[in-house]
Amino acid sequence: MKPLSRIAAVAGMALVGGISSAFAGDTFDAVKERGEVICGVHTGLYGFGAPDEKGNWTGLDIDMCRAVADAVFGDATKVKYVPLSAQARLTALQSGEVDILSRNTTWTLSRDTANGLNFTVTTYYDGQGFMVKKDLDLKSALELEGATICVQTGTTTEVNLADYFRANNMKFTPVTIEKYEEVTAAYLSGRCDAITSDASQLAAIRANDTPDPADHVILPEIISKEPLAPAVRHGDDQWFDIVRWSIFATMEAEEKGVTSANVEEAKKSTDPTVQRLVGATPGMGANLGLDEAWAFNIIKQVGNYGEIYERNVGMDSKLELPRGLNAMWTKGGLMYSPAFR
Amino acid sequence: MTRRTETPGEISAREEEPTHVSLPPPKAPATTPLMAFDWAKKNLFSNIPNTILTLLCVWLLWETIPPLINWVLLSAVWSGGDPAICKAAEGACWAFIAEKHRFMLFGLYPFDEHWRPLLATALFVAVLATSCNPQFWRPWLLGLWAAMLVVCGTLMWGGVFGMTFVENARWGGLPLTLILSVVGIICSFPLAILLALGRRSDMPGIRAVCIGFIEFVRGVPLISVLFMASVMFPLFLPEGMTIDKLLRAQVEIIIFTAAYLAEAIRGGLQAIPQGQYEAADALGLTYWKKTYFIILPQALKISIPPIVNQFISMFKDTSLVIIIGLFDLLTTAKTALTDPPWRAFYVEAYLFAALIYWVFSFFMSRYSQYLERRLETGHRR
């Protein structure tokens, strides 16, 4: 048994590979040299970052990584995805294990400062809300006095809930459950009057888990701000600019009506902003240190923000989330790209 | 989950026996029903509490077994990729497993290359099965293992013979769980023997090191070490340098299992009568000969139950590697559930994963019982 184990042990060590060294110094140079962007993503959150049944990563956060890969390499597939747990995500970025953290992460002051992150652009404005059964006939969360409310344990959701009720001097009974499926089941079985979670999650539950979505309403109050944004490390301004403007390019494209379908024609556009965006008028790429076709490639391969949104979380997806705050500023939302010039 | 469905089944096998026997077989002598009746009376209805318990059990089985069979088999939906059909049905939604089984089994491995992990897993299991038969405990088995590991590594990594390269960060599902546990078992076992021997050594230095190692590792939970490895450890490395995640997880599993196993083996060592040591010394055997020929064969035989216990528990603990972002079997099952229309069918997903875990664990447990019987060579305790 012993010599057998020894040989197997040696073979086993050979099987698990060695130590890999990523980069030292400038992120952009390291990425170019490596030939791929390393992107920290969620371990599985449908619509934002999750592998599909073929093991391909899809989602809004994933598309932001693909956009950056397009800007740098002109090829959206040159991304390596590193799934990260909620606890490990900040360390992974700080330690240089990933180049971008695009993992459904809320932009907060402490993370932006003490944790050494630089948030680039908000790609999704989320917030905590309430869902109730329609036959309760509620119009506002302020009518939830004395209600029993289902909430997931160990999340900021629980804290926000308590804060909101204390601030409004109302009483409530929380039903705290650890697993998401069980929270939903508890709400549907009538153990609680209301369920609270991020509005995007509530919409997903309403669309997919309820027997009839029309029987449930999401109340208009949003009790917390959850701006979700990809982040990069402190202290590398060039990389920060590249990631941030790659995302802005998708928003500018939507505002100007440039889509993956018409981006070829957009090259002949008479609008000077569009010309600068797609590289027909050079300059923007050079400023970023990228190829002049950087934004053209993003729009061509990944699409503009509207396309990304609809495909992953909007009406073309199984989540069917309305644009709401995530519409362009020209349509009453908060999505706004600074000027392309 | 498996255990919950398993237990009523076991009870039913035991409890329903009398009812079957009490039906008189056509050719049986007239005493048989009476004997069965006597048996039932003696064992099941001997006094009032027993009678109440028996009736309660029969009622419980009547309440649980038919709905369970109905849910698992009769009303279940077996195929068709439409979640709406499943939602309308009363029974289990096995269509979900049919739709997602490839992701659950192989995780993030490129879809078109799934034959590679499949073949590697099959090879792995075949060589494991071969090694279980004591007839094949010959030197060539080592060669077979080495060849199998090389072939499996080649299949999984690729990069040669026209196969695309797949880095080990994309390995997942069943192959990952098997690699982590089998390599864990193979590497931790000799380490554990050395630790156990070291702990009983006369040399104070070695003893102190072994005790220190075992007590330190046993004193912290595996989950906290995995956290350290993913949250703290990278900050101490030079910026940009990362250690392969699979290697991190594998080393932690080996160290942990070795520390626990060492204590199981020490139990075996201490159970050997002092006379065995003295007799070996009297024969003039060196320490290593004494250990190899006299002590270990006896000690390991005694320790088989706790050793296998540790292996089974380690096999299931591999599911903790999700903490460092590896997609083991349980995680792939969970991830398959993130697809919104299928989210309602988590019971089916967990049952599927549990069934696979159970098959392997049950095999280990039965095999250990077989080994115990086979190695039984006297002084039964």
Side-chain angles (χ1 to χ4, degrees):
Chain A
M1 196 61 203
K2 236 179 129 198
L4 183 148
S5 314
R6 199 178 301 143
I7 288 189
V10 171
M13 294 311 280
L15 192 77
V16 287
I19 293 168
S20 67
S21 176
F23 78 102
D26 191 16
T27 313
F28 183 42
D29 290 340
V31 167
K32 276 194 293 191
E33 196 183 324
R34 191 192 305 129
E36 58 185 3
V37 178
I38 302 181
C39 207
V41 296
H42 205 286
T43 49
L45 179 64
Y46 183 86
F48 291 92
D52 65 9
E53 62 265 18
K54 295 194 168 186
N56 298 318
W57 288 95
T58 53
L60 189 105
D61 290 343
I62 303 296
D63 279 345
M64 296 308 160
C65 298
R66 296 175 62 224
V68 176
D70 254 331
V72 178
F73 301 110
D75 183 351
T77 62
K78 293 200 168 163
V79 189
K80 178 181 164 187
Y81 300 101
V82 176
L84 296 170
S85 64
Q87 297 85 359
R89 58 182 165 180
L90 303 185
T91 312
L93 184 63
Q94 288 161 340
S95 68
E97 194 177 336
V98 298
D99 303 318
I100 309 171
L101 181 69
S102 185
R103 194 206 169 279
N104 209 248
T105 305
T106 304
W107 186 343
T108 67
L109 187 145
S110 45
R111 282 178 183 160
D112 212 342
T113 53
N115 289 66
L117 271 62
N118 269 351
F119 287 92
T120 52
V121 189
T122 303
T123 52
Y124 189 92
Y125 290 93
D126 212 340
Q128 188 176 340
F130 296 93
M131 182 161 74
V132 293
K133 295 201 179 67
K134 198 169 201 170
D135 50 24
L136 287 180
D137 202 26
L138 296 179
K139 293 282 173 288
S140 154
L142 294 168
E143 297 171 47
L144 283 171
E145 167 76 37
T148 310
I149 297 173
C150 279
V151 59
Q152 240 179 314
T153 49
T155 57
T156 49
T157 317
E158 211 180 339
V159 183
N160 295 338
L161 175 68
D163 286 353
Y164 180 75
F165 275 79
R166 197 178 314 124
N168 288 293
N169 208 8
M170 302 195 300
K171 286 193 177 62
F172 75 106
T173 313
V175 175
T176 52
I177 303 173
E178 194 195 335
K179 287 254 182 311
Y180 151 81
E181 303 95 20
E182 290 166 18
V183 178
T184 312
Y187 166 70
L188 291 175
S189 70
R191 265 180 75 191
C192 324
D193 303 314
I195 181 172
T196 182
S197 186
D198 284 351
S200 61
Q201 292 303 306
L202 291 179
I205 293 171
R206 183 165 173 260
N208 292 289
D209 296 339
T210 56
D212 184 2
D215 290 342
H216 302 265
V217 284
I218 296 173
L219 298 175
E221 282 83 0
I222 294 294
I223 65 170
S224 77
K225 286 200 277 191
E226 311 284 347
L228 307 176
V232 296
R233 261 183 306 281
H234 264 180
D236 191 339
D237 291 347
Q238 189 190 14
W239 184 242
F240 176 73
D241 288 341
I242 289 171
V243 175
R244 139 184 272 220
W245 283 93
S246 297
I247 299 168
F248 280 142
T250 66
M251 295 175 182
E252 185 74 7
E254 187 187 5
E255 188 184 329
K256 293 289 176 188
V258 184
T259 66
S260 55
N262 69 14
V263 67
E264 296 283 355
E265 291 95 86
K267 277 185 167 173
K268 299 179 201 98
S269 165
T270 50
D271 184 334
T273 307
V274 173
Q275 282 193 330
R276 281 193 293 270
L277 179 68
V278 300
T281 309
M284 299 298 109
N287 286 344
L288 285 166
L290 297 169
D291 188 83
E292 291 297 344
W294 66 283
F296 175 85
N297 289 330
I298 293 174
I299 302 162
K300 177 90 183 157
Q301 294 182 31
V302 184
N304 67 32
Y305 181 80
E307 290 176 274
I308 295 170
Y309 186 96
E310 295 302 343
R311 178 168 69 226
N312 292 304
V313 297
M315 289 305 159
D316 300 339
S317 78
K318 295 165 188 167
L319 291 179
E320 297 178 10
L321 301 176
R323 285 294 288 268
L325 287 178
N326 298 297
M328 296 308 297
W329 65 285
T330 47
K331 294 186 181 147
L334 292 174
M335 290 299 165
Y336 181 100
S337 164
F340 266 69
R341 62 171 183 264
Chain B
M1 278 322 274
T2 316
R3 188 165 297 164
R4 208 187 298 163
T5 54
E6 175 58 18
T7 319
E10 280 176 0
I11 295 170
S12 79
R14 236 182 293 130
E15 297 285 332
E16 276 169 10
E17 218 171 336
T19 43
H20 286 304
V21 181
S22 66
L23 295 168
K27 283 183 197 166
T31 49
T32 311
L34 209 63
M35 279 166 66
F37 182 75
D38 282 345
W39 182 89
K41 192 177 169 190
K42 199 173 134 201
N43 290 290
L44 302 176
F45 301 99
S46 56
N47 53 32
I48 292 172
N50 267 1
T51 310
I52 293 173
L53 279 179
T54 304
L55 291 177
L56 206 66
C57 286
V58 169
W59 173 78
L60 215 63
L61 290 174
W62 178 254
E63 284 290 307
T64 53
I65 299 293
L68 195 68
I69 291 176
N70 184 45
W71 186 80
V72 174
L73 298 171
L74 303 179
S75 310
V77 179
W78 294 90
S79 58
D82 187 3
I85 302 174
C86 276
K87 276 185 184 156
E90 269 176 55
C93 180
W94 303 122
F96 168 68
I97 308 293
E99 183 87 356
K100 303 274 186 183
H101 69 282
R102 285 181 67 171
F103 180 77
M104 287 189 195
L105 288 175
F106 302 120
L108 301 173
Y109 210 88
F111 192 73
D112 298 329
E113 309 277 332
H114 275 181
W115 62 272
R116 283 159 54 181
L118 181 66
L119 194 61
T121 309
L123 268 175
F124 217 81
V125 171
V127 173
L128 265 180
T130 312
S131 317
C132 286
N133 190 336
Q135 267 187 317
F136 300 130
W137 290 355
R138 300 269 182 278
W140 57 260
L141 194 61
L142 298 179
L144 186 67
W145 268 91
M148 184 276 284
L149 287 175
V150 169
V151 172
C152 282
T154 314
L155 276 172
M156 293 297 285
W157 268 304
V160 283
F161 308 124
M163 293 185 290
T164 50
F165 176 71
V166 180
E167 55 183 342
N168 52 24
R170 294 193 67 178
W171 299 4
L174 185 59
L176 180 74
T177 298
L178 284 181
I179 288 169
L180 283 174
S181 28
V182 173
V183 174
I185 286 172
I186 291 172
C187 297
S188 62
F189 192 59
L191 186 59
I193 292 177
L194 291 179
L195 283 170
L197 291 173
R199 188 162 190 172
R200 286 171 55 80
S201 166
D202 297 330
M203 290 177 265
I206 290 183
R207 197 169 61 229
V209 168
C210 290
I211 292 179
F213 179 87
I214 293 172
E215 294 304 335
F216 175 73
V217 173
R218 285 205 308 168
V220 285
L222 176 59
I223 200 163
S224 70
V225 177
L226 285 167
F227 264 124
M228 282 285 286
S230 61
V231 180
M232 298 290 295
F233 186 58
L235 295 177
F236 298 124
L237 291 174
E239 195 175 359
M241 189 173 123
T242 52
I243 293 183
D244 189 87
K245 282 184 171 183
L246 187 57
L247 184 67
R248 265 191 254 171
Q250 186 70 74
V251 167
E252 276 146 31
I253 286 172
I254 290 171
I255 287 176
F256 252 79
T257 314
Y260 282 87
L261 268 188
E263 288 298 281
I265 294 171
R266 188 167 68 96
L269 289 174
Q270 283 174 343
I272 309 285
Q274 192 61 33
Q276 297 284 329
Y277 289 91
E278 286 163 4
D281 287 337
L283 286 172
L285 295 179
T286 63
Y287 174 79
W288 289 109
K289 277 190 174 162
K290 177 177 77 177
T291 307
Y292 189 75
F293 290 112
I294 311 288
I295 306 302
L296 274 186
Q298 301 186 66
L300 291 182
K301 190 183 73 192
I302 301 172
S303 333
I304 286 177
I307 289 176
V308 173
N309 199 22
Q310 190 54 46
F311 284 160
I312 290 178
S313 124
M314 180 261 264
F315 176 64
K316 291 183 288 188
D317 280 350
T318 54
S319 57
L320 292 176
V321 296
I322 178 58
I323 291 168
I324 56 174
L326 291 174
F327 278 62
D328 73 295
L329 182 60
L330 188 64
T331 309
T332 53
K334 272 188 198 160
T335 309
L337 281 172
T338 56
D339 195 358
W342 295 104
R343 282 204 293 214
F345 308 108
Y346 55 93
V347 175
E348 288 85 343
Y350 290 140
L351 270 181
F352 179 70
L355 182 71
I356 296 177
Y357 277 108
W358 181 80
V359 165
F360 282 97
S361 304
F362 186 68
F363 167 77
M364 280 195 261
S365 136
R366 299 304 297 192
Y367 181 65
S368 82
Q369 287 173 20
Y370 160 79
L371 265 191
E372 271 180 77
R373 276 197 308 278
R374 198 194 134 81
L375 300 176
E376 183 64 62
T377 49
H379 56 272
R380 189 184 284 274
R381 278 159 214 278

